[in-house]
Amino acid sequence: MTPLQDYQHAIAKALRDGGEAPFSLEEARFAVYRRLVFNNLSSFVDQCFPIASALLGTTQWRHLCEQFFRESQCHSPLFKDIPETFLNWVEERPDKPAWLHDLMHYEWLELAAYHHLADVNDTLERVETALIDEAYDTWRVCLNPTLQFGLYPRPVHLFAMGHPIPDADGQWYGFLVFRTTKHEVKFHSVNATTLQLLQHLQHDASVWRACQMLSQQLPGTSADSLLPHTLELLGKLMQDQIVLGYQKRIMAAG
């Protein structure tokens, strides 16, 4: 490493582990800088996870943030990426409450959709369902590019201060989070089957191919029986800007 890199690493280590100020820096001033850095990091985390932090409590949440500050490695220089790094770090902690990561992931989806770099374009061709039904293998569904998926074993949308924390109840709760053309972030509740269908479609599958893949996950269900229900569902999702339209697929020759 260069002398400058050595200097930067020493400063970063002292900031993280609370050690003495390096290079004969004045301790009082360095302590002020340490607080500023930690408070800056905490502010981005607190803004993204308001419900999780409130339910965990001020003391435990601050302790968690302090551990993250000491132990984590933030490789992105962008402040907006701090909450995701924190989320992934919490996921690996064996001592976290069972509900914490689920709730935090649900809250983080809003930030992920809001800051997504894609442009939400709703000017795609609105093809009639009947036309797609006649040539369903030639059409690609264009989903909202900011679409984020969440599937949880507990009703994360019911978490709130002053109420008991819901337990896992044997059901799965699916959510779609996305940004509209008006730059508004919306949450849409879906069942696990719908979420799986959209995940298939996200990988450039035709409507027909997505139905085929989904039928393999639903014993006793055929792609033919799923097709009309899928087309109806996609029509409804288009009204909410979850589906933006259809495009002709490029078919391989030969």
Side-chain angles (χ1 to χ4, degrees):
M1 291 190 293
T2 65
L4 176 59
Q5 290 173 321
D6 288 335
Y7 180 85
Q8 291 173 328
H9 279 274
I11 291 289
K13 184 177 185 303
L15 287 172
R16 289 176 183 274
D17 61 21
E20 294 183 0
F23 306 108
S24 300
L25 296 173
E26 185 178 337
E27 186 61 41
R29 292 187 178 183
F30 193 73
V32 171
Y33 182 57
R34 180 185 289 118
R35 286 197 299 272
L36 288 174
V37 173
F38 174 74
N39 290 340
N40 196 32
L41 177 144
S42 297
S43 67
F44 284 96
V45 169
D46 294 345
Q47 290 173 29
C48 185
F49 308 108
I51 302 175
S53 60
L55 290 176
L56 196 61
T58 303
T59 301
Q60 284 186 272
W61 184 257
R62 182 176 177 84
H63 179 64
L64 199 64
C65 291
E66 289 173 344
Q67 287 183 297
F68 172 68
F69 184 58
R70 290 194 303 269
E71 300 173 7
S72 69
Q73 296 294 325
C74 296
H75 299 291
S76 172
L78 302 177
F79 287 127
K80 71 177 182 65
D81 293 336
I82 291 175
E84 183 179 9
T85 304
F86 182 56
L87 174 68
N88 294 335
W89 178 82
V90 168
E91 184 179 17
E92 299 300 320
R93 295 196 61 80
D95 58 342
K96 66 181 180 296
W99 53 268
L100 183 60
H101 184 263
D102 289 339
L103 177 58
M104 288 178 61
H105 188 271
Y106 176 70
E107 292 190 275
W108 171 79
L109 291 179
E110 181 176 5
L111 182 72
Y114 183 82
H115 284 297
H116 199 289
L117 297 177
D119 179 38
V120 183
N121 181 359
D122 68 344
T123 62
L124 295 170
E125 183 180 1
R126 299 303 177 96
V127 183
E128 293 295 330
T129 300
L131 180 59
I132 299 173
D133 197 14
E134 294 172 1
Y136 42 70
D137 198 33
T138 64
W139 293 98
R140 181 176 72 88
V141 180
C142 296
L143 301 179
N144 187 316
T146 69
L147 190 60
Q148 307 292 320
F149 301 97
L151 185 63
Y152 313 99
R154 65 191 81 242
V156 289
H157 59 300
L158 299 181
F159 280 66
M161 287 297 294
H163 296 274
I165 294 177
D167 292 322
D169 57 8
Q171 300 184 52
W172 287 95
Y173 297 84
F175 295 92
L176 308 174
V177 185
F178 56 97
R179 195 177 71 239
T180 69
T181 55
K182 295 182 178 180
H183 216 73
E184 299 172 335
V185 175
K186 297 290 184 69
F187 284 72
H188 193 93
S189 175
V190 295
N191 58 40
T193 301
T194 297
L195 191 144
Q196 289 175 319
L197 171 69
L198 294 176
Q199 286 179 320
H200 290 317
L201 290 170
Q202 196 177 47
H203 296 291
D204 198 27
S206 68
V207 179
W208 175 244
R209 179 58 182 151
C211 288
Q212 286 181 314
M213 290 188 288
L214 191 61
S215 68
Q216 296 173 7
Q217 299 172 270
L218 300 173
T221 305
S222 67
D224 288 318
S225 65
L226 287 173
L227 182 62
H229 299 292
T230 298
L231 294 175
E232 181 182 1
L233 172 64
L234 294 176
K236 293 178 180 178
L237 295 179
M238 190 178 294
Q239 298 173 11
D240 295 316
Q241 296 186 8
I242 295 171
V243 172
L244 299 181
Y246 297 86
Q247 288 180 333
K248 278 283 190 178
R249 297 178 69 227
I250 298 176
M251 309 298 289

